[in-house]
Amino acid sequence: MKLKFAAISIHLALGVCLVSSGVQAQEGGLDLSGWDWSATSDEAAAEPAAPAEPAKPKKPRPGETAIPDFEAEPQAAIALFPDMPNLKVIPSQKDEEMLPCGNCHQWAESDPTPRLLKEPHNNFALQHGLHGKGQFWCFTCHDLEGDGGLRTLEGETLGFDQAYVLCSQCHVQEGRDWAFGAHGKRIGSWRGERQVLNCTACHYQHRPGWLPRKALAGPAMRMGLERPEHWVPLEQRGGRDPLPTPIWERAR
Amino acid sequence: MSDKSNDQRRDPGADPQPTDLARRRFLQRLGVTALAAGATASAPAWGGSTLGDAFADFFQDHYQRMDADEVKETLARIERKAKRRYGVDIDCKDTPAIPGVVFGYAINISKCRGYRDCVHACVEENNLSRDTQYIRVVEMHHGSLNLHEGDHYYQGTVPEPGKYYLPMQCMQCDNPPCVKACPVEATWMEQDGVVVVDYDWCIGCRYCMAACPYQARHFNWGDPDLPPGEINPDTHFLGNRPRPKGVVEKCHFCLQRTREGRMPACQEACPTGARIFGNLLDPNSEIRYVLENRAVFRLKEELGTEPKFWYFRDV
């Protein structure tokens, strides 16, 4: 599952991969318009005749978060704070589909220059604070050398299941709350060993804000309380000042 | 806390009223005799029940006065009734409170986004009639705590700009006005701080609903509208067993789950992690961290009901 940015050994397989998926290498760069972005791995693309394994059923989630794998063994958390309680973090499903970078960057060279991301990277919703505006970008968090996992600002490499270390570098208050139980979600039991979800289980790491969603059905209206047709909400009746746009609206 | 503890009830030697005991034994014998007499009676004549079960239902005692054998018999009868009524094999138990545990809840209103996932998880977990919801998510204006301006009938895409969402359910008050209002003592606070209802002892007078400042209690106006295929078979006597018509029910912090160490269904369903549940007596629990490190508030604190249900927000 690890990204391989400069894996020479895969180049042979890539030839088959490109031909089979209808992408033609042209002079002056790759034309990726016909690339199948949903291809999960080079083996699957190279041998389309092979029977595809049944995909694990996915629950619909806001954003494309990493889906937690509740059957896997929870991993002991790295202590972010000296007085932090012992946590076990639920790992995420190791799904190649979660890592579309590898579809190209297993053969395409990565440009280490920090820059505003343009084609074809605007396919990805990089809306993480200043990400995508040139200040922060892929290699702020990802490891350029090595296997393409995560990397702290100090250069320590991390697995994807230790994303909380990376996030809490900047989001210190959230990291502290997560470590002590005021942020994030505990799974299973309210007593005994604490099993919690990783940050990426709820926040899509490249666009951590939550998107609005349709609410489920409310209670049945009590008889006599139905709103009349001329109902005007309070704020439209001049009841209060207009409010500033909330942060999730600004992030969109 | 109620002075009628579960431990006293479990000990048959502690029953201080021999006359009461004799009366119960007499009624039980009467029920058995009636069962023998009515064994040939057709089943639908007693509301789909057997004559013996109908008699035993009628003479069923208050939960806190039953001894272990009577409880066992009652639970078996509840399972039989559910089988007859819904065709579902349920498992009804009466797990007692865990010693040294008082449940508490905290909700982060910065995180709640009004999706109502908790509401529907609760409905399915607790075998609620499909027109009843224990959890009421109130859409509030930013900067306002006036529940009168809140709207719990909101629809469509949430969160709406300028609104925040305040989920309300039974606050499990430490000084519960509903318990004081009940004329027949059909509702009481358990050792783990959860206010429960003996649905078979409730007479449906709805005084407790009038006494509750949080509108947390709900009345079964009709037979519960329960699709038989969606019944949760994991039930508790004081919790989510199928309820009869004409009784009051309320949130009980999912006793069938939490007394076995699991999280309540609403906490499990919340996609935002806004809900924090735990043991208030455990100094290392998450809820204690929230209470000690955050500015928390409770609703209608001035009434002195001491809810064990806190709200806080991200700073």
Side-chain angles (χ1 to χ4, degrees), chain B residues 71-258:
Chain B
V71 168
K72 202 176 158 192
E73 192 188 303
T74 306
L75 296 180
R77 201 166 61 242
I78 288 169
E79 288 169 7
R80 283 201 298 277
K81 262 198 291 192
K83 177 75 178 167
R84 271 196 296 270
R85 192 161 157 197
Y86 300 106
V88 181
D89 286 310
I90 65 166
D91 172 29
C92 192
K93 61 204 172 195
D94 72 326
T95 323
I98 307 168
V101 170
V102 170
F103 290 127
Y105 222 128
I107 289 192
N108 188 341
I109 52 174
S110 304
K111 288 227 197 85
C112 179
R113 295 168 70 81
Y115 294 148
R116 287 206 189 100
D117 282 0
C118 53
V119 176
H120 288 264
C122 168
V123 167
E124 284 162 24
E125 167 70 25
N126 288 317
N127 294 327
L128 284 186
S129 176
R130 293 303 186 249
D131 53 6
T132 308
Q133 292 178 352
Y134 284 168
I135 305 176
R136 193 191 302 267
V137 186
V138 189
E139 188 179 70
M140 306 275 288
H141 301 285
H142 269 180
S144 162
L145 250 181
N146 189 352
L147 289 168
H148 194 72
E149 290 178 4
D151 171 22
H152 67 272
Y153 297 118
Y154 67 88
Q155 297 165 354
T157 307
V158 287
E160 271 196 55
K163 301 282 175 64
Y164 74 96
Y165 296 85
L166 189 79
M168 289 172 68
Q169 58 204 74
C170 176
M171 308 271 163
Q172 315 295 355
C173 304
D174 219 41
N175 182 17
C178 51
V179 169
K180 292 180 219 168
C182 182
V184 293
E185 296 186 24
T187 179
W188 66 93
M189 185 160 55
E190 287 276 292
Q191 294 293 313
D192 51 9
V194 179
V195 178
V196 295
V197 183
D198 183 347
Y199 308 114
D200 294 326
W201 202 255
C202 173
I203 56 172
C205 69
R206 307 172 69 218
Y207 286 5
C208 54
M209 291 175 67
C212 176
Y214 307 103
Q215 303 193 0
R217 287 176 168 259
H218 301 267
F219 187 65
N220 281 302
W221 285 103
D223 275 320
D225 167 28
L226 254 178
E230 297 175 17
I231 287 187
N232 175 17
D234 176 28
T235 61
H236 192 283
F237 183 88
L238 300 171
N240 62 342
R241 67 181 164 115
R243 271 83 64 187
K245 174 182 175 178
V247 301
V248 170
E249 58 185 68
K250 62 182 273 298
C251 161
H252 41 80
F253 279 178
C254 285
L255 282 186
Q256 69 281 2
R257 299 166 70 105
T258 49

Side-chain angles (χ1 to χ4, degrees), chain A residues 19 24 30 52 101 103 140-141 230 238:
Chain A
V19 170
Q24 294 179 355
L30 282 171
C101 310
N103 287 347
T140 313
C141 299
H230 55 270

Side-chain angles (χ1 to χ4, degrees), chain A residues 2-55:
Chain A
K2 302 287 188 188
L3 300 185
K4 296 205 186 310
F5 290 141
I8 300 163
S9 60
I10 299 182
H11 276 219
L12 277 176
L14 279 173
V16 187
C17 184
L18 287 175
V19 170
S20 67
S21 53
V23 179
Q24 294 179 355
Q26 296 174 344
E27 286 184 30
L30 282 171
D31 176 18
L32 291 170
S33 57
W35 179 254
D36 179 15
W37 292 99
S38 64
T40 53
S41 65
D42 48 347
E43 286 90 354
E47 298 171 9
E53 285 189 11

